[in-house]
């Protein structure tokens, strides 16, 4: 069974305190890995797609990286408005290519 | 920017009523999905479609039904709403094999 596991479940940071969120995934058959941001009561907002180990994508204070067995979402000098739940998802080959497998998310709180 | 719309955004309805949650996308995506999400909890896939006239049940058992008679439209119906159906329902769409999904803003359903 394809799996995506995120850690930590929750993370509290002081404003300006950089950190990383982790997403480990089932390696076999992975075709793409995605990061989303979700605010309370809203649908997930797409952030990044990563396809191969060594790939990096950046957007403002966020940078996503992919290794052969895990992905990281690095947050540099976070601000309170970065507070949200960050979701990682994978798409796999075969019949699983019709679905995205989501992790449970990391709830990030940035304290002023 | 994602062009996927859900209506209504909020719905409070009595037990036993029939309801239809609407989801439409203007991106021409072939694959569409319905997820159920309780506050602070993970996403659960309840239905998906990979094209017109195709529908499949997801990982989470649901008493709802879906239809896909047009590419852009993927409504979800509950024949008889119950308090246990109270949740947020999220619609998503994507195309291709390795691509990300885009989400609507969700429908927050409360059954009283």
């Amino acid at each position: 069974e394809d799996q995506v596991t995120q850690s930590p479940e929750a993370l509290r940071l002081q404003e300006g305190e950089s950190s990383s969120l982790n997403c480990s995934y089932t390696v076999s058959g992975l075709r793409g890995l995605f990061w989303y941001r979700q605010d309370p009561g809203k649908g997930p907002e797409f952030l990044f797609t990563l396809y191969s180990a060594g790939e990096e994508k950046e957007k403002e204070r966020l940078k996503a990286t992919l290794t052969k067995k895990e992905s990281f979402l690095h947050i540099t000098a976070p601000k309170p408005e970065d507070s949200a739940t960050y979701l990682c998802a994978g798409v796999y080959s075969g019949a699983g290519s019709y679905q995205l497998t989501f992790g449970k998310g990391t709830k990030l709180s940035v304290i002023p | 920017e994602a062009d996927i719309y859900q209506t209504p955004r909020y719905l409070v309805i009595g037990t036993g009523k029939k309801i239809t949650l609407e989801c439409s996308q203007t991106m021409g995506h072939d694959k569409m999905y319905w997820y159920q999400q309780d506050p602070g909890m993970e996403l659960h896939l309840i239905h998906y479609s990979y094209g017109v006239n195709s529908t499949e049940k997801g990982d989470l058992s649901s008493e709802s039904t879906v239809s896909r008679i047009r590419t852009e439209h993927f409504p979800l119906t509950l024949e008889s709403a119950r308090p246990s159906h109270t949740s947020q329902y999220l619609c998503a769409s994507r195309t291709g094999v390795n691509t990300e999904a885009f989400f609507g803003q969700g429908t927050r359903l409360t059954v009283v």
Side-chain angles (χ1 to χ4, degrees):
Chain A
E1 180 181 326
D2 301 324
Q3 287 194 341
V4 174
T5 304
Q6 293 187 246
S7 62
E9 289 186 13
L11 181 64
R12 285 172 61 94
L13 298 174
Q14 291 293 320
E15 184 173 1
E17 179 187 2
S18 302
S19 189
S20 297
L21 313 182
N22 177 267
C23 171
S24 61
Y25 58 87
T26 301
V27 175
S28 177
L30 183 79
R31 301 290 293 269
L33 191 129
F34 315 105
W35 283 97
Y36 291 83
R37 169 190 171 128
Q38 186 176 24
D39 293 304
K42 295 189 175 182
E45 174 191 351
F46 168 71
L47 293 173
F48 303 111
T49 301
L50 301 166
Y51 288 118
S52 55
E55 191 173 0
E56 297 183 353
K57 296 274 181 72
E58 274 188 85
K59 179 181 179 180
E60 295 180 355
R61 295 177 292 281
L62 300 177
K63 183 168 78 172
T65 62
L66 185 66
T67 73
K68 289 184 178 179
K69 60 179 183 178
E70 56 194 350
S71 178
F72 296 94
L73 184 66
H74 307 278
I75 303 175
T76 302
K79 298 182 178 181
E81 53 262 43
D82 295 322
S83 297
T85 295
Y86 290 86
L87 300 170
C88 174
V91 63
Y92 288 84
S93 57
S97 64
Y98 294 124
Q99 302 178 25
L100 268 63
T101 300
F102 278 89
K104 295 184 178 181
T106 294
K107 183 176 181 179
L108 175 67
S109 301
V110 182
I111 313 303
Chain B
E1 185 174 322
D3 293 316
I4 179 165
Y5 308 101
Q6 292 185 241
T7 57
R9 284 279 285 124
Y10 304 94
L11 179 62
V12 180
I13 200 162
T15 298
K17 299 291 187 183
K18 178 180 179 178
I19 59 170
T20 297
L21 308 184
E22 302 288 349
C23 177
S24 294
Q25 51 97 4
T26 59
M27 298 173 283
H29 288 172
D30 54 341
K31 301 174 186 65
M32 295 188 74
Y33 307 83
W34 278 104
Y35 292 87
Q36 185 174 341
Q37 185 181 38
D38 293 325
M41 303 299 286
E42 63 192 289
L43 293 164
H44 291 285
L45 180 67
I46 51 175
H47 297 282
Y48 64 101
S49 165
Y50 42 87
V52 171
N53 294 325
S54 96
T55 60
E56 302 285 344
K57 288 187 180 294
D59 304 322
L60 182 68
S61 176
S62 173
E63 296 168 342
S64 58
T65 59
V66 292
S67 63
R68 189 91 182 277
I69 59 174
R70 299 198 326 256
T71 298
E72 63 271 22
H73 194 214
F74 191 40
L76 181 145
T77 298
L78 278 165
E79 290 292 333
S80 179
R82 299 193 299 193
S84 60
H85 296 140
T86 294
S87 189
Q88 174 157 257
Y89 293 83
L90 292 161
C91 181
S93 73
R94 58 191 283 261
T95 190
V97 176
N98 305 337
T99 57
E100 63 275 4
F102 294 97
F103 284 80
Q105 286 299 297
T107 293
R108 181 78 192 151
L109 173 66
T110 302
V111 184
V112 298

